[in-house]
Amino acid sequence: MHPPLYRPHPKCAALVDALVECHDNNVYGKFWGACNDQKAAMDACFKAEKESMRAANARAAKASKARHARRQAT
């Protein structure tokens, strides 16, 4: 299962478009693996996107915690 495709995915837009096009071109084949390569590439891109978002959130939380600790120290 993948996240909703209508949400903006700037880094993965080409892969999302390729999967949607494959699904459009293979009406029944999509159920039997005709689009597995496109989906695997898109899933890998989504995983990398999620990992970068997680790292950015961790950095922001660490900075916020440091600011809070400085305010408490003064």
Side-chain angles (χ1 to χ4, degrees), residues 15-71:
L15 296 171
V16 170
D17 291 341
L19 180 67
V20 170
E21 182 179 340
C22 182
H23 282 182
D24 290 343
N25 293 335
N26 298 294
V27 178
Y28 297 108
K30 66 184 174 185
F31 298 114
W32 288 283
C35 303
N36 283 355
D37 293 337
Q38 290 87 346
K39 184 171 182 327
M42 185 188 68
D43 287 344
C45 185
F46 283 169
K47 183 177 180 180
E49 179 184 58
K50 183 177 179 180
E51 190 64 28
S52 68
M53 287 172 36
R54 188 193 64 76
N57 288 341
R59 284 192 302 272
K62 188 179 277 189
S64 176
K65 189 174 180 179
R67 283 193 308 272
H68 181 69
R70 279 186 300 228
R71 274 190 258 145

